[in-house]
Amino acid sequence: MTKSATPRSALSAVTALCAALALAGCSMIPVYNRPAAPVAVDWPVLPANTSATGELSAVPAADLEWQDFFSDPKLKQLITTALNNNRDLRVAVLNIESARAQFQIRSADQLPSVNASVSGLRQPNINGNGSISSSYTAGLAVTAYELDFFGRVASLKEAALAQFLATQEGRKTIQISLIASVANTYLALLADEELLAITQQTLATRQDSLKLSQLRFDNGVSSELDLRLAESLTEVTRVSLAQQLRQRAVDQNTLTLLLGQSLTPELMPRLATGSGLATMPLLQDVPSGLPSDLLARRPDVRQAEQLLLASNANIGAARAAFFPRISLTTSAGSASSHLGNLFQSGSYGWTLAPQLVLPIFDAGRNQAGLDGARVQRDTAVAQYEKAIQVAFREVADALAGRATLGEQSRAQQAQADAETIRFRLADLRYQNGVSNQLELLDAQRSLFTARQAAVLARLAQLQGQVTLYKTLGGGWKEAALNTAP
């Protein structure tokens, strides 16, 4: 460590360091221009004879909290449980913390690291007289601090910041998908319960018909053809019952995975006695807005754009690698040739050791790094554009469902009502000997099919509303997340 009689030289060194820091910060990051959205300026025009369902809300989906969108207390309880326990969401939160740490590391690289340093050195003198020289130092040291004249470190920090913001948007996307998945699975389980009840009722009816057919056949009143038809319809219903039981078990397992815990009895979806999906109120009908709104409303689109910004910042770091890299090593403190005199008055000293490294020959390494960064940026552009296209298609599909599923559900329920009346009339005609058993069994089969179709149509209508809410970015409030790194 070089000795100094006065601290004025050290002050000059510190001044030079501050001037270097002030000059640092030149950025070589390309100017970012958001790519044009590769989608139409408006949604596809739907047929004029279709109609939307529900009353249109004045609040956009992205601004409508899920607690306000869903009114079913049981469903709210399930969603809350999933948000607290779901493992995918937990991993997403941990990814945010990991990205936050990387950003803080890159931010710290812009400032020098000051360390306390104590060192000692003993070595033989070069004059060959056998004496040993000693040197002891203690003080503060800055080692190999890069003066970021060409913005390499700043570019890496900007890339880390964009990566951090992208993980936040990814967390929002996972939460939105989780809420929609819980809601759709809940509705599917309610439909399973209703379909199971319909199947069990139909099986009981067909078993009674089979007993009657067997009795009529044994007494020679009807042919074996009628008996075998009744037997076939009974077994078809048994097949449907087994399918419904299996589907309910599968949906329960899906809900268990989404919740992140066992499906306890108090969390189990159940239909109220005498009710069904047809009696459930419609969910709020949210406005679709314009396709350009997706750029600001959809977290997955914003995530793709942040990844694009990160790739753009990496180009700046790759460009800066072509220019000189200046690093600084400095220390200030006490120095002495005797350990006992290390902290005595007059032992102050300092060192300043700047270093400049200019690339001359690297076998094309820096150029390859720049080319790779540009390819990654072009890839990120394509992924961003695809995210917009996928979002547009999802919303367009959901809007098509909103425009048609309501009419489909209404017509399907009307058919089920008509088949109910037809079955009653066929049964009355059969009891009075006006029609044969074949007509009764055909009416019974049509009624079973129509009732099942009505439940599935209503399920599709309700799930379509959930899907539209999801595709428009609903299920997350921006103010609920602290975005400060």
Side-chain angles (χ1 to χ4, degrees):
M1 181 173 287
T2 304
K3 295 285 297 264
S4 174
T6 67
R8 180 170 297 178
S9 300
L11 180 60
S12 300
V14 173
T15 303
L17 175 60
C18 293
L21 292 175
L23 290 174
C26 174
S27 176
M28 294 191 175
I29 301 176
V31 176
Y32 174 73
N33 294 311
R34 175 181 285 176
V39 294
V41 296
D42 208 346
W43 307 113
V45 178
L46 299 171
N49 59 349
T50 59
S51 59
T53 58
E55 183 178 351
L56 190 63
S57 169
V59 182
D63 296 332
L64 183 62
E65 295 183 356
W66 64 264
Q67 295 92 337
D68 298 327
F69 181 72
F70 300 106
S71 59
D72 191 320
K74 174 73 73 174
L75 178 54
K76 289 184 179 180
Q77 183 183 8
L78 290 170
I79 292 176
T80 301
T81 302
L83 293 178
N84 291 333
N85 299 320
N86 183 265
R87 298 307 187 270
D88 289 336
L89 193 59
R90 191 172 298 177
V91 169
V93 172
L94 294 174
N95 286 339
I96 291 178
E97 296 306 315
S98 176
R100 186 196 304 269
Q102 292 300 317
F103 169 69
Q104 290 173 341
I105 291 173
R106 291 301 184 184
S107 297
D109 289 341
Q110 291 187 298
L111 299 175
S113 297
V114 181
N115 304 296
S117 173
V118 178
S119 64
L121 175 65
R122 289 175 59 83
Q123 61 182 7
N125 289 325
I126 60 175
N127 55 19
N129 60 5
S131 62
I132 297 176
S133 63
S134 300
S135 176
Y136 303 95
T137 61
L140 302 178
V142 175
T143 305
Y145 167 63
E146 181 175 349
L147 301 178
D148 196 24
F149 284 108
F150 302 100
R152 189 187 74 87
V153 178
S155 296
L156 294 176
K157 187 205 77 170
E158 290 300 320
L161 175 59
Q163 290 280 355
F164 167 68
L165 296 176
T167 58
Q168 288 189 326
E169 300 299 340
R171 189 248 191 243
K172 297 178 187 179
T173 300
I174 291 176
Q175 173 166 323
I176 289 172
S177 298
L178 176 61
I179 291 174
S181 296
V182 171
N184 283 332
T185 306
Y186 171 77
L187 293 171
L189 275 169
L190 294 183
D192 291 339
E193 292 288 335
E194 188 171 359
L195 290 171
L196 193 57
I198 292 173
T199 305
Q200 289 171 337
Q201 294 170 6
T202 303
L203 179 59
T205 302
R206 288 184 176 177
Q207 285 175 333
D208 292 339
S209 297
L210 178 59
K211 291 178 182 179
L212 180 59
S213 297
Q214 184 69 54
L215 181 61
R216 290 169 60 85
F217 173 73
D218 292 340
N219 289 276
V221 178
S222 63
S223 65
E224 186 176 359
L225 179 62
D226 293 336
L227 173 63
R228 297 311 172 193
L229 178 58
E231 183 179 6
S232 175
L233 292 177
T234 302
E235 296 307 321
V236 167
T237 311
R238 293 186 192 276
V239 171
S240 182
L241 179 62
Q243 292 173 340
Q244 291 300 329
L245 290 171
R246 181 173 64 253
Q247 186 60 49
R248 183 178 66 175
V250 169
D251 289 338
Q252 287 177 350
N253 293 337
T254 300
L255 186 57
T256 299
L257 179 62
L258 293 172
L259 295 182
Q261 68 171 51
S262 300
L263 195 58
T264 57
E266 59 270 15
L267 293 176
M268 188 72 70
R270 286 284 186 268
L271 280 171
T273 304
S275 66
L277 291 182
T279 62
M280 290 189 64
L282 290 173
L283 304 174
Q284 290 196 44
D285 203 357
V286 291
S288 59
L290 296 174
S292 57
D293 295 337
L294 295 179
L295 303 183
R297 297 295 185 178
R298 287 268 299 221
D300 57 336
V301 175
R302 295 205 302 265
Q303 180 184 16
E305 185 173 18
Q306 289 298 332
L307 293 176
L308 172 57
L309 288 169
S311 300
N312 198 57
N314 284 330
I315 293 179
R319 283 178 172 177
F322 287 89
F323 294 87
R325 185 176 300 181
I326 303 174
S327 62
L328 181 66
T329 298
T330 183
S331 62
S334 180
S336 175
S337 59
H338 298 283
L339 184 62
N341 299 331
L342 183 60
F343 297 103
Q344 289 185 355
S345 176
S347 62
Y348 175 79
W350 58 272
T351 62
L352 179 64
Q355 182 184 35
L356 183 146
V357 178
L358 175 65
I360 296 178
F361 174 75
D362 62 0
R365 180 180 292 105
N366 287 338
Q367 184 61 48
L370 178 58
D371 293 342
R374 286 172 174 166
V375 170
Q376 291 177 354
R377 191 267 313 275
D378 294 341
T379 302
V381 169
Q383 291 173 336
Y384 172 67
E385 292 174 341
K386 181 181 178 181
I388 295 175
Q389 291 174 336
V390 169
F392 181 89
R393 194 215 70 185
E394 289 179 350
V395 176
D397 290 348
L399 289 174
R402 180 175 72 176
T404 57
L405 285 172
E407 178 62 21
Q408 178 183 341
S409 178
R410 185 207 62 76
Q412 200 69 60
Q413 185 60 50
Q415 181 189 7
D417 295 339
E419 291 293 343
T420 300
I421 298 174
R422 176 194 170 196
F423 173 72
R424 291 175 183 170
L425 294 175
D427 184 56
L428 183 62
R429 287 166 57 86
Y430 178 71
Q431 295 296 335
N432 289 276
V434 178
S435 64
N436 55 31
Q437 187 179 12
L438 182 61
E439 181 181 340
L440 175 63
L441 294 177
D442 181 67
Q444 190 181 74
R445 179 176 60 245
S446 298
L447 175 60
F448 179 50
T449 303
R451 292 182 67 188
Q452 287 183 314
V455 173
L456 294 176
R458 180 63 171 181
L459 173 63
Q461 182 187 13
L462 293 172
Q463 288 183 333
Q465 291 182 291
V466 175
T467 300
L468 179 59
Y469 177 65
K470 168 194 170 185
T471 56
L472 291 173
W476 182 265
K477 289 285 288 182
E478 185 68 31
L481 180 64
N482 178 18
T483 58

